[in-house]
Amino acid sequence: MLRFEGVSFRYPEDELGMMEKLSFQVENGELVAIIGASGCGKSTIFRLINGLEKPDEGKILVDERPIETIKNYSAFMPQKDLLFPWRSIEKNVCLPMELAKVSVEEQGRRTEKVLAQVGLLEYAKKFPKDLSGGMKQRAAFARTLLSGADMLLLDEPFSALDYLTRVEMQEWLLQQWVHYHKTILFITHDVEEAIFLAKRVYIIQDSRPFTEMECIEVPLDYPRNREDLKKAEIVELKESLIGKLRRSVSL
């Protein structure tokens, strides 16, 4: 689905590059997490995938095609829901379709279907101020889905939520992934969250510029539940990943 081939990138204002000759790939339909210390380059990877930044060298391919030659291949969900307070939930959710000039009738049909799937149909006429934090993130996810892209880039979308709501949203996200069969890249600082959600975890632990991301397979099948996190091998994996992050911070 996604492949980086020898990608190097440096922000013009920085003396050091962010990454150098980075190569990695994500398979179609995978849920993959990327973890690393603040400022290590996680969000830059997303900006490169979205085409908001251009590599200094190397290639970024989606379905074996350079991203410069294709459109609507990925959709981005940031940390904040970014819902417009003056638009109803249904009007917020259908925004990608408005921009794509989808007919009003089709917008209504798709919006109703996705709001029902994410459990917000009865709130369609409500406004963001009427929703809880978790409900707003579900609305933002629905909007991301209606972009029509097969690859979703989620940048710490649950980080601002309280612990119990975050746990509920993690379980909810897995249900949506199973239902929609999307390829999902998920950035997080939360090691436990990465383990619970992802099939594979990429970890950035080198100092800048980093040249590779270590890939860790999570030894859990789907579906998953919170009890899986208590398994000895998962506890050991969590401590190992935390240790790797601590060492990267000290570099």
Side-chain angles (χ1 to χ4, degrees):
M1 180 65 176
L2 170 73
R3 184 151 53 91
F4 272 46
E5 281 188 1
V7 172
S8 299
F9 176 78
R10 179 179 68 85
Y11 287 105
E13 65 273 17
D14 291 346
E15 181 178 344
L16 291 174
M18 182 63 73
M19 64 193 71
E20 186 173 315
K21 299 189 182 303
L22 176 68
S23 296
F24 74 98
Q25 65 183 36
V26 177
E27 303 300 331
N28 187 41
E30 274 194 306
L31 201 169
V32 171
I34 302 176
I35 63 175
S38 296
C40 71
K42 301 185 300 297
S43 294
T44 300
I45 289 175
F46 275 15
R47 292 181 63 82
L48 287 164
I49 295 171
N50 273 328
L52 298 175
E53 305 290 351
K54 305 295 183 185
D56 297 327
E57 62 176 304
K59 298 178 183 179
I60 301 174
L61 307 171
V62 170
D63 291 332
E64 297 304 317
R65 292 180 291 169
I67 60 172
E68 298 85 2
T69 67
I70 53 179
K71 295 180 179 179
N72 200 34
Y73 55 86
S74 69
F76 177 63
M77 181 178 171
Q79 295 180 28
K80 296 182 179 180
D81 59 74
L82 299 183
L83 299 174
F84 292 120
W86 60 88
R87 293 178 68 115
S88 66
I89 296 307
E90 64 180 357
K91 291 298 184 182
N92 266 289
V93 167
C94 74
L95 185 58
M97 294 185 291
E98 284 185 28
L99 297 174
K101 302 189 184 310
V102 174
S103 69
V104 173
E105 293 77 12
E106 184 64 12
Q107 286 183 38
R109 187 187 69 80
R110 294 183 192 176
T111 299
E112 181 177 354
K113 183 177 180 180
V114 77
L115 285 178
Q117 176 60 31
V118 303
L120 292 176
L121 186 56
E122 63 183 289
Y123 296 91
K125 304 296 184 184
K126 300 286 188 180
F127 290 83
K129 65 179 178 61
D130 303 316
L131 273 60
S132 66
M135 294 165 74
K136 289 178 184 177
Q137 289 303 89
R138 280 191 273 155
F141 184 80
R143 181 182 58 194
T144 305
L145 283 171
L146 287 176
S147 69
D150 289 327
M151 180 167 57
L152 309 183
L153 310 178
L154 312 186
D155 190 353
E156 299 195 71
F158 308 146
S159 61
L161 303 176
D162 64 83
Y163 177 75
L164 287 179
T165 304
R166 190 163 69 246
V167 166
E168 290 175 355
M169 289 300 295
Q170 291 165 6
E171 295 169 346
W172 176 84
L173 177 62
L174 283 182
Q175 295 171 1
Q176 303 309 305
W177 175 62
V178 169
H179 179 80
Y180 285 103
H181 307 292
K182 299 287 187 178
T183 303
I184 296 180
L185 277 73
F186 192 100
I187 285 177
T188 180
H189 281 93
D190 187 331
V191 170
E192 185 174 287
E193 181 172 71
I195 292 172
F196 182 68
L197 292 174
K199 177 181 179 181
R200 294 187 295 135
V201 178
Y202 279 113
I203 177 169
I204 303 173
Q205 52 184 327
D206 292 338
S207 56
R208 292 173 56 180
F210 64 94
T211 59
E212 63 180 357
M213 298 189 294
E214 183 179 359
C215 181
I216 308 293
E217 295 277 345
V218 178
L220 288 175
D221 294 325
Y222 296 99
R224 297 175 180 179
N225 59 62
R226 311 307 297 189
E227 290 300 310
D228 290 328
L229 297 173
K230 299 177 182 178
K231 294 180 178 178
E233 66 269 28
I234 300 303
V235 172
E236 183 178 347
L237 174 59
K238 178 181 176 180
E239 293 305 314
S240 173
L241 290 177
I242 290 173
K244 292 176 185 292
L245 288 179
R246 283 177 172 168
R247 286 193 293 274
S248 69
V249 171
S250 66
L251 290 176

